[in-house]
Amino acid sequence: MAKQLLVIDGNSLLHRAFHALPQSLSTSSGQPTNAIYGLAQMLLPLLKEKPPDAALVAFDAPGKTFRDELFEDYKAGRAPTDETLIAQFGLAHELIDALGMTQTEIAGYEADDIIGTIAEKARGAGFEVLIITGDRDVLQLVDDQISVLATIRGLSETRLYEPDKVYEEYGVWPEQIADYKALVGDSSDNIPGVVGVGPKTAALLLGQFPHVEELLERLDEVDSDKLAAKLKESSGQIQLSKKLATIVLDSPLRLDIGDLTWEGIQPGQLRQLFARLEFSRLMERLPVQSATPASQPAPAELDEVTQAIKAAGYCNLAAAWPEDELRGLALATDEVGPAYLPLALAKQEDSDGGLFGEDAGGQVPSAVAKLLEDPEIAKRGCDLKQIATGLDDYDIRVAGCQWDGALADYLIAPQRDQNADALAACYLQEALPSPEQPVERACQLATMIPRLRAVLDKEIEQLDLMPLFERVEMPQIEILRDMERAGIALDCEQIAQLGTHIQADQKELGEQIHELAAEQFNINSPQQLGEILFEKLELPEGRRTKTGWSTAADVLEELRGEHEIVGLVLEYRQLSKLYSTYIKALLEQVSPETGRVHTTFVQTATATGRLSSRNPNLQNIPKRTELGRSVRACFIAGSPETVLLCADYSQIELRILAHLSGDENLVSAFVAGEDIHKRTAAALFGVSLDEVSRKQRDAAKTVNYAVIYGMGSQALATQLDISREEADKFIEDYFAQLPGVQQYMDQIVRQAYEDGYVQTICGRRRPVPELNSNNRGVQAYGERAAANTPLQGSAADIMKIAMADIAPRLVEASGGARMLLQVHDELVFEVPAEDVAKVSKLTKQMMEEAWELSVPLSVDIKAGRNWRDLEQVS
């Protein structure tokens, strides 16, 4: 079997990662890390799954190259490298070293030339070469020994190019790619090409003439006289463009294949780097790192530890999670333990004893079950909700969750997602055994809990976050676990019928699109769609990408009035997204046992304190479109005797804005119980309250929320379909009517620049490292985040407090009522119809009394058989 050489285009992947991941991703000290995180996220699994014999990472050297001497405007259209990305190049070199790979650059040459040169050497040495890049220029190197793995969107989606794949996509063979670019040009490198020659024409020409040199010699054989004349006129430009596009195969590279032997990842070095960069999730992907015998706790007898826990009144708890299945518990006190309890349901048992030995089939002993369910026994651990959810399969309802290290760290540094590995590395400077050693890992973590708790609690106290931790975050563990377990019923027959109608409508739209195009093509292919719109139908040219014309939504929106086909394509895409994201996904994710959809709520995913929902995301079910509302109608009460009850905070973020800004006009409007959107409309349009139309109120509502979310005039103009000048006037008039709001917004941003963070009314902190960026776009994002977080984050805090107040009292109002969903400002319950009045009264009272503002909190309560058709509860 041939040896493998892995060659990586370092600059290309760094740029891809930088633009694929949020630029706000940074360490708690403000060091930007998004590009490094993305690069590591891609390379770690690649090196693990396909370990190469040799590896090289090529970088562009600073300064000009020989191509700049050939063509002064080469790459002239490119913006300067973002300062936030530049700040990560040193870390990129550290990462490559820790991954055990050789790296190099050559003055006067590009990374592509290094890649071409080493690939040529490797070919001669009998190696198979895999090139990883986001740049399609290197496709010209592809042959039977050289393949290219190219990133498509972001970093997660890739495409493997071998000769046939290159031809399938471009209509030319790899050795013709430079000729192809000589004709089509390349906007990203500012390679001119020939005006008016697109991908389809270039492929046809190169199918007839192998290379542009032969094409220029045989122009008399070109079918179109007009095209031949254009090619003749551009002959010098074509030859220059080919030189610019052609990769050098003999650059002065001093490395030979023998210098590139890959000896594997350096786990210690990489672990230290990941701990410094706070890459918690990536630590789990590191190779096995066995704990030293001295660091492994000696296991104790289960009975001994159980008795110690009862006497102490608390339990340090950790779990073994091989392949995301709960397979064991480690239990301890600060002085006694740990004891390890292997777990396996019948479906999980291994015929040979498996990873956990021959005793791995047992259930939870009744003494341990009672201990776990006892609310008087405090549970301490890291990610207790995951443990509690896993124990649901054993019919154990964990209670008494008192301390969670992941939640504590979330309050200290909300922009990082710390798992147990990172907590141990960051706070204790220790490494846990690998996830591939689940028993040892769980036991060691259980013994670390008291030391982690001491360090984290000290930081929590210093930041004055203990009330938020104990009053707001910790109660959510058991509440969210119960909501996930309850799920929400789905009418599968109704949603399947809706899907059938959507697919039929989509098929009809497809036929209309093909009829207007006068040919069959793949509507979902941006390349084919671009050729239809910009070459065949000759619509006004949009922007170009490396693979052809851009058909992004914003491009098509600008073309909507140019041709009937554009609107149909946009509608086709909307139906396609609705079907795949909601209909198909929901039908796949409904539980066959319960007939309900069970989402996972995540507490630590947002910097503002908002909850998020995953697998599926039930916080994102659309409600503004008719089709979206049809999807909501498929979520139903679980039995004929029950209804869905929805409690929704009315304009809570605007009320918090009134409270925090103290603006007299805004406060007085809420105190008087006025319709704030109507009042804003009256001020913006210069009419009385009675004269405000529905359209004017909707526009005012958009303006109100535009202020909260820091929306600029251009975005507002697009939302309202008005000119930018009109949008500027709306914003100007808004702040003129509410001067206290303007003063508050300006003050909170100034304070964020000084402090480096902003706070909610409960003291939750959000660091804003983006304000330190040299990139004005990143800085502007930071300013919007600084202005919005105290509003959105305070609303999230208030909602969590309300949930914590409602949950223990819900059973008093109705034994059959269950909290099912939290959708930001809305709570969804399933309630026996006879108990609607009692649950409604309790919910409204608890939500409106959750926090005392200078303006009243208001909650709307509606109920109905499905999530769409709800009626007001009096």
Side-chain angles (χ1 to χ4, degrees), residues 17 204 252 313 356 503 547 576 620 783 826:
L204 289 172
F356 294 89
Q503 287 184 303
T547 56
S576 179
N620 200 32
E783 291 175 357
E826 175 186 14

Side-chain angles (χ1 to χ4, degrees), residues 486-491 594-596 634-645 816 818 820 829-832 864-866:
I488 185 169
L490 186 73
D491 188 329
T594 66
R596 301 168 79 92
C634 298
F635 290 91
I636 59 174
S639 69
E641 297 79 26
T642 59
V643 297
L644 296 181
L645 185 146
R818 297 187 289 179
L820 306 184
F829 300 83
E830 189 171 68
V831 181
R865 285 287 304 151
N866 66 66

Side-chain angles (χ1 to χ4, degrees), residues 299-319:
E301 292 295 329
L302 186 61
D303 288 345
E304 176 191 354
V305 174
T306 302
Q307 292 303 317
I309 289 170
K310 289 179 181 177
Y314 68 88
C315 172
N316 297 328
L317 191 60

Side-chain angles (χ1 to χ4, degrees), residues 798-839:
I798 291 172
M799 174 58 88
K800 286 179 177 177
I801 291 170
M803 292 168 68
D805 289 343
I806 293 168
R809 296 172 177 82
L810 191 58
V811 69
E812 299 171 11
S814 169
R818 297 187 289 179
M819 194 184 301
L820 306 184
L821 299 177
Q822 190 254 53
V823 186
H824 305 314
D825 300 338
E826 175 186 14
L827 287 177
V828 180
F829 300 83
E830 189 171 68
V831 181
E834 60 189 19
D835 293 334
V836 165
K838 289 185 288 185
V839 174

Side-chain angles (χ1 to χ4, degrees), residues 8-12 58-61 109-116 138:
I8 294 167
D9 185 338
N11 286 79
S12 173
F59 285 97
D60 293 333
Y109 291 85
E110 297 180 42
D112 285 353
D113 301 315
I114 298 173
I115 292 170
V138 297

Side-chain angles (χ1 to χ4, degrees), residues 70 102 107 157 210 214 297-298 302 315 344 386 501 528-529 547 573 612 657 688 691 693 696 764 814 832:
L70 286 173
T102 304
E157 186 178 347
E214 188 169 340
L302 186 61
C315 172
Q386 186 184 26
H501 290 315
Q528 293 183 34
L529 178 61
T547 56
R573 283 183 175 178
S612 66
L657 177 60
S688 69
E691 294 175 316
S693 67
Q696 288 172 328
R764 184 188 303 276
S814 169

